[in-house]
Amino acid sequence: MTLTELRYIVALARERHFGHAADKCHVSQPTLSVALKKVEQRFGVILFERSSADVRLTMTGEQIAAQAERVLEEAGKLREICAKGKDPLSGPLRLGVIYTIAPYLLPRLIPALHARAPLMPLYLQENFTVSLSAQLRRGDLDVIVVALPFSEPGIVSRVVYAEPFCVVMPRGHALAREVLIDTRQVAAENVLLLGNGNCFRDQVVQACPQLSASGGTDGAIEGSSLETVRYMVASGAGISVVPVSAAASWPQEDALLVSRPFRDPVPLRQVIIAWRATFPRPQAIDVLRAAILDSPPPGVVVA
């Protein structure tokens, strides 16, 4: 049966009058009557008992009319889905963010994005760059926030901000008397790093090449997250290099921990958003980027 025929059946079942049902369907009475008669002939069943005074559903007609209502309701949902599909800012956006960015970006991004696209909730995934990249290629994620270097075939990327690094240390540490820290000074200390496989660890080693030259990464104490590293530094286990957004999110009057900026050239990372070139909602990507630029993490330089 066509959806039009189902509408005729439902209208007549409700109105119990051919003329009234035809008016509801915006067709002539003969058009509706002939269409329903053809349905009955096609399927070999009688849906309505007809008399000069009344129209009644048969037992089969009641079942078919009830099912027709359900089918029409589901068809209406299809129209709703299509209507939403026309609006790129309606419907979820699946966003992946690396561990060292998510806790400091998301608290600012979510309200900024909601203000711009209230009908576009975020489905969030925190993970390492390699995992987020694989999920992006498979289509499990729509867009990811990671740090350079990053290059994947078929993936488009755009820088959103540059984030300087800073040094965190116990408050009583000798370097706490310095206004600016040189990367060579870091290499001479016991540096706490994130574990292998975390891209931020690699970025720190690149920013402070003296660490590798001096063997400073060999047997280094490792933390599973920046928050863990923070507590190890506060306990006196060593110093560390962290993104400025992380240091800015920690209590500034911490009795055990202080942070200091680097001397020029300041090591930093470029943070990007990346998405598939074939992603059908580029406007959603534009709004996401604009929301990040509206409320970036503290201390970063927007692109």
Side-chain angles (χ1 to χ4, degrees), residues 115-192:
R116 286 179 170 268
L119 300 180
M120 190 172 73
L122 291 179
Y123 290 176
L124 298 169
Q125 165 78 244
E126 273 187 278
N127 218 314
F128 295 112
T129 298
V130 63
S131 178
L132 295 180
S133 176
Q135 292 181 72
L136 182 64
R137 291 195 307 271
R138 291 196 305 265
D140 296 335
L141 292 173
D142 301 322
V143 56
I144 60 176
V145 179
V146 296
L148 293 177
F150 179 86
S151 178
E152 291 286 346
I155 302 298
V156 182
S157 65
R158 189 170 181 184
V159 173
V160 284
Y161 59 81
E163 179 166 33
F165 300 162
C166 65
V167 184
V168 290
M169 66 199 76
R171 184 168 288 276
H173 196 280
L175 289 181
R177 295 192 294 268
E178 302 284 342
V179 176
L180 299 172
I181 306 297
D182 191 282
T183 56
R184 290 170 295 184
Q185 292 174 287
V186 172
E189 300 291 333
N190 182 33
V191 181
L192 310 181

Side-chain angles (χ1 to χ4, degrees), residues 159-164 268-271 299-303:
V159 173
V160 284
Y161 59 81
E163 179 166 33
L268 53 80
R269 65 178 175 181
Q270 299 282 341
V271 175
V300 308
V301 181
V302 297

Side-chain angles (χ1 to χ4, degrees), residues 58-69:
T58 65
M59 185 177 296
T60 300
E62 288 180 353
Q63 293 174 332
I64 289 180
Q67 183 65 32
E69 288 198 21

Side-chain angles (χ1 to χ4, degrees), residues 5-300:
E5 291 169 340
L6 295 180
R7 292 190 189 97
Y8 291 168
I9 292 171
V10 170
L12 187 54
R14 291 174 177 172
E15 300 296 327
R16 305 295 177 95
H17 187 282
F18 277 96
H20 295 166
D23 289 341
K24 292 288 185 181
C25 295
H26 306 290
V27 296
S28 66
Q29 180 174 328
T31 297
L32 183 139
S33 181
V34 168
L36 292 179
K37 195 66 178 177
K38 287 183 177 178
V39 169
E40 292 177 323
Q41 291 172 348
R42 187 186 314 144
F43 292 97
V45 294
I46 301 298
L47 303 180
F48 298 94
E49 294 180 16
R50 300 162 174 85
S51 70
S52 58
D54 195 15
V55 176
R56 295 187 179 186
L57 285 162
T58 65
M59 185 177 296
T60 300
E62 288 180 353
Q63 293 174 332
I64 289 180
Q67 183 65 32
E69 288 198 21
R70 290 191 287 270
V71 172
L72 291 174
E73 181 181 355
E74 293 301 317
K77 292 178 181 178
L78 290 176
R79 286 194 295 272
E80 291 177 9
I81 292 172
C82 291
K84 288 182 178 179
K86 294 179 181 179
D87 181 2
L89 304 184
S90 177
L93 185 70
R94 298 169 297 175
L95 173 66
V97 190
I98 57 175
Y99 289 118
T100 58
I101 292 178
Y104 318 110
L105 171 65
L106 295 179
R108 293 168 173 265
L109 169 61
I110 290 174
L113 183 63
H114 184 73
R116 286 179 170 268
L119 300 180
M120 190 172 73
L122 291 179
Y123 290 176
L124 298 169
Q125 165 78 244
E126 273 187 278
N127 218 314
F128 295 112
T129 298
V130 63
S131 178
L132 295 180
S133 176
Q135 292 181 72
L136 182 64
R137 291 195 307 271
R138 291 196 305 265
D140 296 335
L141 292 173
D142 301 322
V143 56
I144 60 176
V145 179
V146 296
L148 293 177
F150 179 86
S151 178
E152 291 286 346
I155 302 298
V156 182
S157 65
R158 189 170 181 184
V159 173
V160 284
Y161 59 81
E163 179 166 33
F165 300 162
C166 65
V167 184
V168 290
M169 66 199 76
R171 184 168 288 276
H173 196 280
L175 289 181
R177 295 192 294 268
E178 302 284 342
V179 176
L180 299 172
I181 306 297
D182 191 282
T183 56
R184 290 170 295 184
Q185 292 174 287
V186 172
E189 300 291 333
N190 182 33
V191 181
L192 310 181
L193 300 171
L194 291 176
N196 283 315
N198 194 302
C199 62
F200 185 71
R201 175 196 176 100
D202 300 332
Q203 293 159 12
V204 170
V205 173
Q206 290 173 359
C208 304
Q210 297 89 350
L211 282 173
S212 295
S214 64
T217 60
D218 298 335
I221 301 175
E222 297 178 350
S224 59
S225 70
L226 290 176
E227 294 299 313
T228 302
V229 167
R230 167 194 171 189
Y231 289 118
M232 288 196 295
V233 170
S235 75
I239 71 171
S240 189
V241 176
V242 301
V244 69
S245 62
S249 73
W250 299 336
Q252 298 305 296
E253 300 303 321
D254 193 317
L256 300 177
L257 191 75
V258 294
S259 65
R260 293 289 183 267
F262 275 101
R263 192 181 306 279
D264 287 335
V266 177
L268 53 80
R269 65 178 175 181
Q270 299 282 341
V271 175
I272 65 168
I273 56 174
W275 65 97
R276 293 182 305 283
T278 55
F279 183 58
R281 297 165 60 196
Q283 300 92 334
I285 302 297
D286 292 339
V287 168
L288 174 68
R289 182 176 185 273
I292 294 174
L293 299 183
D294 282 346
S295 299
V300 308

